[in-house]
Amino acid sequence: MDDATTLIELKKELEKLRDERDWKQFHTPKDVGEQIAVEAGELLELFLWKSGADVLKKMEEDAEYRNDVEEEFADVLLSCFTFANAADIDIATVVKKKLEKVKNKYPVEKSKGNATKYNRL
């Protein structure tokens, strides 16, 4: 479905949900920024005290756990889209701009297979 749904469709659907509930008053960039942090924390809580391999295995074997991860991930994304709406941010533009910065900070020849921060490459 990723290849059939546009960012603008998702943003508009969120605006409709917000407007039907009269929630625009609560969707300031500051408040939604805080919401992103809270939702990200709830996602991270699902990984607490587990290794990366343990998380992947549990997601493959435990449908309820996978569903919980997907729900929290969706909450993070919805919060990010809500932030974009509240702050009038064009998601594709800022993501592409940031990708270019990352490419420049982490040139392939220095960073391939290396997790070192750009200022130490």
Side-chain angles (χ1 to χ4, degrees):
M1 186 140 89
D2 279 353
D3 60 351
T5 305
T6 67
L7 294 174
I8 196 67
E9 288 172 325
L10 294 173
K11 287 175 75 175
K12 286 185 181 290
E13 194 168 338
L14 269 169
E15 283 181 334
K16 183 175 186 254
L17 180 134
R18 176 201 69 197
D19 292 344
E20 289 172 343
R21 289 154 182 81
D22 191 27
W23 287 348
K24 188 173 184 175
Q25 60 189 315
F26 309 118
H27 287 188
T28 66
K30 179 202 86 67
D31 291 331
V32 180
E34 292 169 346
Q35 177 188 9
I36 292 168
V38 169
E39 296 299 348
E42 291 176 4
L43 175 62
L44 288 174
E45 185 178 24
L46 295 170
F47 306 147
L48 191 62
W49 315 123
K50 295 173 183 66
S51 71
D54 290 341
V55 168
L56 288 172
K57 184 176 181 190
K58 190 164 174 123
M59 285 181 68
E60 289 173 7
E61 297 174 355
D62 184 340
E64 185 176 345
Y65 179 77
R66 181 175 186 85
N67 183 68
D68 291 343
V69 170
E70 289 175 351
E71 289 271 331
E72 294 305 336
F73 173 70
D75 285 344
V76 172
L77 284 178
L78 288 170
S79 298
C80 290
F81 277 87
T82 299
F83 185 88
N85 283 342
D88 194 27
I89 292 173
D90 184 291
I91 295 169
T93 298
V94 299
V95 167
K96 286 181 180 223
K97 184 177 174 183
K98 184 63 177 187
L99 283 172
E100 283 306 310
K101 281 182 125 175
V102 171
K103 287 176 189 177
N104 290 327
K105 282 167 116 174
Y106 294 95
V108 173
E109 61 277 0
K110 289 184 178 181
S111 60
K112 189 170 185 171
N114 187 343
T116 303
K117 190 170 178 178
Y118 68 91
N119 62 346
R120 301 227 177 214
L121 288 174

